[in-house]
Amino acid sequence: MTAAIRSELTKVFTTAIWWILAVVLVLYVGMLAAGMAGLFGALSTGQLGSEAGSPPPDPAGLPLVMYSIATSIGYVFPLLIGTLMVTSEFRHQTLTPTFLATPARGIALAAKVAAGIVLGLLFGVIAVVSAVGPAAGILAAYDIDPLLSSGDTWLLLGRAILALVLWAIIGIGIGAVVRNQVVAIVIVLAFTQVVEPVLRIAGGLIDWLGELTKYLPGAASDALVGQSFFTGLGGPSAAPVATLEWWVGGLVLLGYAVVLLVIGNFTSWHRDVT
């Protein structure tokens, strides 16, 4: 098992895709966190006027909302790396030597999950640092306490890293179910960037739908973290929508990962790869 895990990590770290995604993650999350912290920091302190009837955001709640950008926006990166870890093997037909080295295919998949946990931790730390660094500095410049000495802040950041680890495992599950790399990437991007956001906005407007959309993976991830950039500052999808307890959100997200892995293990993962 140890050799199989080491082999999986070697496959990832000897290609360029992991660091390309990591660089994009840093730039995307970092720039967004900096821009949003600057904008809402100015609004909350009155240095930038808001439209009539729109109260400025509460400065006390801003730091955690800005830090949640790490997961609200950054989760797609560990999800993609997890998906690519599996689909690239189908695409390049490198599963044959993998299965020759590890004939028990369940063990081979478990090794990928273990490697995915390592990648999820890595991307989780990168995402959190990319969000917290610029956001905390800019909020401090507006004399807003960045709450870095608060235990609640570090609990949130820890749960954010856990959420990103689970997203990486979900990606592995998707890759195991959907063998075609292009199709898998299209499904990931379409669901995370279009389908779920639309459903969650609709859930904010329709009570019964809101009771269902809180179990969507993105909503469960936000619940696990305990904060969301998309709902923490208000908006049409925020106030009316019911949310899960953080531990329930974690279990729901874990459930998605387990179900996908089980389906993938007993279907496409056991098909002929030659």
Side-chain angles (χ1 to χ4, degrees):
M1 183 67 172
T2 302
I5 296 172
R6 188 182 303 114
S7 173
E8 294 300 332
L9 290 172
T10 300
K11 291 175 190 176
V12 175
F13 289 117
T14 52
T15 62
I17 189 63
W18 76 270
W19 64 260
I20 291 174
L21 285 175
V23 169
V24 177
L25 170 61
V26 170
L27 294 176
Y28 188 26
V29 170
M31 291 173 62
L32 185 60
M36 293 298 100
L39 172 62
F40 287 102
L43 286 171
S44 66
T45 55
Q47 297 185 34
L48 181 64
S50 59
E51 295 197 10
S54 298
D58 179 11
L62 272 183
L64 298 187
V65 175
M66 294 300 109
Y67 302 159
S68 72
I69 289 175
T71 47
S72 298
I73 300 295
Y75 77 95
V76 70
F77 293 94
L79 179 61
L80 280 174
I81 195 66
T83 303
L84 292 172
M85 283 175 65
V86 183
T87 55
S88 353
E89 296 235 53
F90 285 115
R91 181 179 182 183
H92 300 293
Q93 297 185 340
T94 55
L95 269 180
T96 300
T98 296
F99 289 155
L100 288 174
T102 312
R105 296 192 176 190
I107 298 297
L109 185 57
K112 280 200 178 293
V113 171
I117 291 173
V118 174
L119 267 295
L121 285 170
L122 175 62
F123 275 72
V125 171
I126 291 173
V128 164
V129 171
S130 300
V132 173
I138 290 173
L139 291 176
Y142 283 105
D143 291 326
I144 297 174
D145 183 3
L147 303 178
L148 293 180
S149 60
S150 168
D152 289 341
T153 299
W154 291 100
L155 284 174
L156 180 142
L157 298 180
R159 293 196 301 268
I161 293 174
L162 174 59
L164 294 176
V165 169
L166 291 173
W167 278 113
I169 300 173
I170 289 174
I172 293 172
I174 292 173
V177 173
V178 185
R179 294 160 53 121
N180 186 287
Q181 188 171 81
V182 174
V183 173
I185 292 174
V186 168
I187 289 173
V188 165
L189 294 179
F191 185 82
T192 60
Q193 306 305 305
V194 179
V195 176
E196 180 168 353
V198 169
L199 287 174
R200 292 180 69 181
I201 290 174
L205 303 173
I206 305 170
D207 290 342
W208 66 265
L209 184 59
E211 290 298 319
L212 298 177
T213 56
K214 67 182 180 181
Y215 291 100
L216 289 171
S221 177
D222 289 343
L224 168 59
V225 175
Q227 190 58 267
S228 171
F229 172 69
F230 294 113
T231 60
L233 295 171
S237 64
V241 179
T243 57
L244 303 170
E245 294 288 338
W246 71 267
W247 59 272
V248 177
L251 289 177
V252 170
L253 204 58
L254 177 62
Y256 279 107
V258 170
V259 168
L260 287 168
L261 288 170
V262 170
I263 293 173
N265 181 53
F266 287 104
T267 56
S268 61
W269 195 248
H270 278 80
R271 293 178 189 168
D272 188 2
V273 295
T274 58

